[in-house]
Amino acid sequence: MSKQLYEVGNKPPLGEVPEQMHAWLIRAERFGQPTAAFQKEVVNTPSIADDEVLVYVMAAGINYNNVWAGMGVPVNVIGARNKAGEPEDFHIGGSDASGIVYAVGKDVTNVKVGDEVVMHCGTYDRNCAWVKKGGDPMYSPSFKIWGYETNYGSFAQFTRVQAQQCMPKPKHMNWEQAAAYVLVAATAWRMLHGWESSSVKKGDVALIWGGAGGLGSMAIQIAKAVGATSVAIVSGEDKYDYCMKLGAKGCINRNDFDHWGMLPHWKDNAGYAKWLKGVRGFGAKIWEVLGEKRAPNIVFEHPGETTIPSSIFVCETGGMVVVCAGTSGYNATVDLRYLWMRQKRLQGSHFANTKQCNEMNELAQSGQLDPCMSRAFTYEELPIAHQLMADNKHPHGNMSVLIGATEFGLGASGKPAVAMVQPTLPKGDVHTTPAPYPMSTPLPDIAEGEPITIADDGSKVRDLMHRGIISCAPDDTVGAVAKIMVGNEIHAVVVMDAQGAAVGVVSQTDMVLARQGRTPDQARSMLASEVMTPGCATCDAEMLLSDAVSLMTGRRMHRLVVTEQGQPVGVISMTDVVRKIIGD
Ligand code: NAP
């Protein structure tokens, strides 16, 4: 007769599954900061399907996803599952773990009771038509992240996983180390090895952003293992040693440069020249670190908005920038000339499929992948570990928490084939990275069922617009346009063709850019058609003000020509909107 419940750390006899288990639960009524959201409770041990495995968790990895899950934003994971028909009114998180197999479903062949395993977090429906015909499960509509989008993750005595998630635990790692690396290492593996001819090869140069971070530390090691040379970028020289011990040839301090951010407008010769100077200096630094004039064949990207322009610029002709996140923002700007003329590839990448996870894990088993575990916590400290993460006060590297393991350092039962140097992070290291976007949330797409509703006071463009259009002809000179602007105290002039159609706008910015590299006389004699921003964004006078604002922000414009029955009748500008906001 098996016991109904075992205390945490009191391991049931192998294969004996108690009816209930201890777990850290999130419930909707306490969504909020991790220390409040996570509470210890006793729940029924989950049953398993034919292709599933029940694992007794020894240690669990900590990831930002469950900070989001605890807050209930941007998605209420419990509500989403209830809507899909799952009955549980709680969430057990945890998307990384090490443990021991306690029960297997009848179709499971890759693991047996007693096996020591680590688990990756990629789940999918084995009956998905796409997967059945050999498609990459990462593209399956059924793909979900275990312990975030699915329940019964690793923050409990037992976790329910699909058999394909289980991989052999590297024998030389202790439980907490083994629980720390899979999510980040598998993501880095797909980024570097998952993209056919663009994948990293022996002799390649790899540029690794955030070399001391979770992903970057794995990427350096994966690149090294294949015989590539990596250059790591970090925000301080105190992290150089760490990256070099992991295998980077050298490092660059990103704070030595200031050209980061969105690209200047391509018409802005002065701004572009300044940016070019910055990015060339950055490229020259890469050469200096390499000791030769070579461009990176592969750029390992995740900061996103602030770094993509540089990543694309410095990438070798025919090379690839592979990106899995936009930590600094999602609107990356691309100078398409470099992308097409030099035939570079900008590739999105997300987690990894079963095959890639196992390939990565072979590297870990061989001892060539340090898990870069920076801090481990006790079972009781699980909410604190998440709170540190939420407050951005945690160290770089990967963190884990003991679940079934009673002490730190247990579980290693062998020596790695390859001895590794265990690098340590600089003393007092803490994060300065903004909260990352959850690893998996439903992005709106064509099939999106519920339209998002935004509160709007119903103001229309006609309530704020300026009636009358001050225009010029396409062959008016810039000098003439300037007089119109000054005389009417306006910031832009609409360019109308002979048929009275608005064909462009000459803004103050266009005038300033026209002067770049020219004498005043040369600039004055240019034509409106040469300096205008072609195409004229228009809106109907009956359009909601909020829609007009979206049109302007989306097109990076400050004004729209307003039409009535298709005829231009006035202008609405951001200045008008600002006046309304302040007035209100
Ligand atoms: P991490 O441990 O916080 O490391 C990220 C590193 O990026 C930081 O250490 C920082 O290093 C660097 N960084 C931050 N802001 C930067 C900026 N503006 N410019 C350049 N570098 C900057 O995070 P991680 O675990 O490596 O994850 C990185 C991102 O990938 C996160 O957004 C995460 O959510 C995402 N991710 C995605 C997947 C996926 O499957 N799609 C999987 C895992 C993670 P320095 O300050 O030293 O430069």
Side-chain angles (χ1 to χ4, degrees):
M1 185 52 191
S2 65
K3 263 173 80 170
Q4 187 169 341
L5 177 70
Y6 286 81
E7 283 317 302
V8 175
N10 186 1
K11 187 155 62 104
L14 185 63
E16 185 187 308
V17 178
E19 214 171 282
Q20 292 190 306
M21 63 177 188
H22 290 277
W24 281 103
L25 264 66
I26 292 168
R27 289 184 182 275
E29 56 269 27
R30 50 180 189 247
F31 276 159
Q33 290 299 309
T35 44
F38 286 97
Q39 297 285 330
K40 284 187 288 185
E41 291 192 38
V42 171
V43 291
N44 287 340
T45 310
S47 56
I48 51 170
D50 294 346
D51 63 337
E52 289 178 336
V53 172
L54 195 71
V55 176
Y56 181 71
V57 181
M58 297 304 284
I62 312 275
N63 294 291
Y64 210 97
N65 271 351
N66 276 286
V67 173
W68 291 119
M71 290 178 177
V73 290
V75 173
N76 170 349
V77 290
I78 302 165
R81 283 199 292 266
N82 291 161
K83 220 167 150 187
E86 289 184 36
E88 291 89 353
D89 56 358
F90 58 83
H91 170 68
I92 300 178
S95 305
D96 256 322
S98 60
I100 302 164
V101 173
Y102 261 58
V104 298
K106 75 173 173 51
D107 296 346
V108 174
T109 54
N110 63 327
V111 285
K112 56 181 188 320
V113 171
D115 284 356
E116 295 186 354
V117 291
V118 290
M119 286 144 275
H120 72 76
C121 63
T123 73
Y124 55 90
D125 179 357
R126 63 175 169 161
N127 294 316
C128 162
W130 166 259
V131 175
K132 270 176 122 171
K133 71 170 192 208
D136 185 338
M138 285 306 302
Y139 304 154
S140 165
S142 68
F143 183 84
K144 288 195 174 90
I145 299 285
W146 158 68
Y148 177 64
E149 289 170 289
T150 77
N151 209 343
Y152 297 110
S154 56
F155 301 154
Q157 284 177 301
F158 289 94
T159 183
R160 182 174 72 190
V161 292
Q162 295 177 341
Q164 58 82 22
Q165 290 177 253
C166 297
M167 308 184 292
K169 169 187 165 289
K171 287 192 167 30
H172 61 277
M173 290 188 197
N174 61 38
W175 293 115
E176 59 272 27
Q177 287 172 327
Y181 67 94
V182 173
L183 190 150
V184 275
T187 305
W189 184 274
R190 182 178 175 92
M191 290 173 76
L192 293 171
H193 280 295
W195 306 105
E196 313 99 31
S197 59
S198 302
S199 297
V200 72
K201 292 175 288 298
K202 186 175 165 54
D204 275 356
V205 170
L207 187 69
I208 315 283
W209 285 100
L215 287 175
S217 57
M218 298 295 127
I220 293 172
Q221 300 181 82
I222 292 168
K224 181 185 172 201
V226 81
T229 304
S230 58
V231 176
I233 304 159
V234 286
S235 57
E237 288 176 19
D238 57 341
K239 294 177 197 157
Y240 282 16
D241 183 53
Y242 182 73
C243 297
M244 311 256 295
K245 282 202 175 117
L246 288 172
K249 167 142 190 177
C251 300
I252 297 175
N253 183 354
R254 65 183 165 97
N255 289 328
D256 289 345
F257 300 87
D258 62 3
H259 65 285
W260 313 120
M262 282 186 170
L263 278 171
H265 197 283
W266 52 270
K267 281 190 190 174
D268 177 3
N269 292 329
Y272 206 91
K274 187 162 182 275
W275 178 80
L276 213 51
K277 193 168 173 227
V279 77
R280 281 193 175 136
F282 177 59
K285 189 73 194 174
I286 298 173
W287 291 349
E288 187 190 312
V289 169
L290 290 170
E292 56 180 328
K293 289 187 174 178
R294 286 192 61 194
N297 308 84
I298 190 161
V299 182
F300 185 88
E301 250 288 348
H302 46 89
E305 190 166 295
T306 59
T307 53
I308 283 277
S310 302
S311 293
I312 289 178
F313 183 87
V314 299
C315 180
E316 174 66 306
T317 298
M320 174 174 72
V321 176
V322 58
V323 58
C324 76
T327 314
S328 66
Y330 311 122
N331 284 354
T333 44
V334 177
D335 185 332
L336 288 171
R337 292 169 294 185
Y338 287 95
L339 207 68
W340 94 68
M341 296 288 288
R342 307 244 162 107
Q343 301 176 73
K344 303 181 185 189
R345 175 172 177 174
L346 175 58
Q347 176 67 54
S349 191
H350 182 49
F351 190 56
N353 61 34
T354 316
K355 182 169 169 281
Q356 292 159 341
C357 288
N358 279 281
E359 287 166 355
M360 174 283 295
N361 203 47
E362 279 171 28
L363 194 70
Q365 286 174 272
S366 76
Q368 293 176 79
L369 194 83
D370 188 290
C372 292
M373 194 202 62
S374 51
R375 189 164 168 194
F377 297 80
T378 64
Y379 184 75
E380 299 297 322
E381 291 171 327
L382 187 142
I384 296 169
H386 283 89
Q387 191 65 52
L388 282 175
M389 211 169 213
D391 297 343
N392 229 357
K393 289 188 176 144
H394 59 303
H396 279 91
N398 303 311
M399 303 193 297
S400 6
V401 56
L402 302 185
I403 305 285
T406 47
E407 278 174 53
F408 297 118
L410 301 177
S413 62
K415 283 212 158 30
V418 179
M420 55 183 162
V421 194
Q422 291 235 297
T424 46
L425 286 158
K427 271 208 167 65
D429 171 72
V430 285
H431 258 241
T432 48
T433 309
Y437 191 72
M439 211 173 132
S440 208
T441 52
L443 288 175
D445 63 16
I446 300 168
E448 187 67 9
E450 287 174 25
I452 302 164
T453 44
I454 308 270
D456 192 293
D457 72 356
S459 295
K460 299 265 176 76
V461 166
R462 71 169 143 69
D463 302 331
L464 265 91
M465 64 181 273
H466 280 84
R467 288 207 168 258
I469 294 208
I470 298 169
S471 66
C472 68
D475 53 4
D476 279 347
T477 62
V478 164
V481 176
K483 279 195 184 122
I484 297 173
M485 265 185 196
V486 174
N488 293 280
E489 293 180 0
I490 52 171
H491 302 304
V493 175
V494 179
V495 185
M496 301 268 225
D497 67 10
Q499 285 71 45
V503 291
V505 173
V506 179
S507 67
Q508 285 179 326
T509 311
D510 291 321
M511 307 278 274
V512 171
L513 295 181
R515 172 73 173 78
Q516 280 181 356
R518 296 187 181 89
T519 63
D521 281 346
Q522 284 169 332
R524 264 196 296 269
S525 61
M526 289 184 80
L527 301 181
S529 58
E530 291 173 312
V531 302
M532 71 182 191
T533 300
C536 197
T538 60
C539 67
D540 194 90
E542 288 305 306
M543 185 184 262
L544 276 175
L545 192 58
S546 55
D547 289 342
V549 168
S550 302
L551 207 58
M552 285 191 264
T553 54
R555 298 199 188 182
R556 315 278 191 275
M557 284 177 165
H558 289 117
R559 62 195 61 77
L560 300 169
V561 170
V562 185
T563 57
E564 277 172 354
Q565 277 103 44
Q567 291 303 308
V569 290
V571 172
I572 181 144
S573 69
M574 276 296 192
T575 316
D576 301 327
V577 180
V578 171
R579 276 203 196 106
K580 174 181 162 57
I581 296 166
I582 304 296
D584 280 358

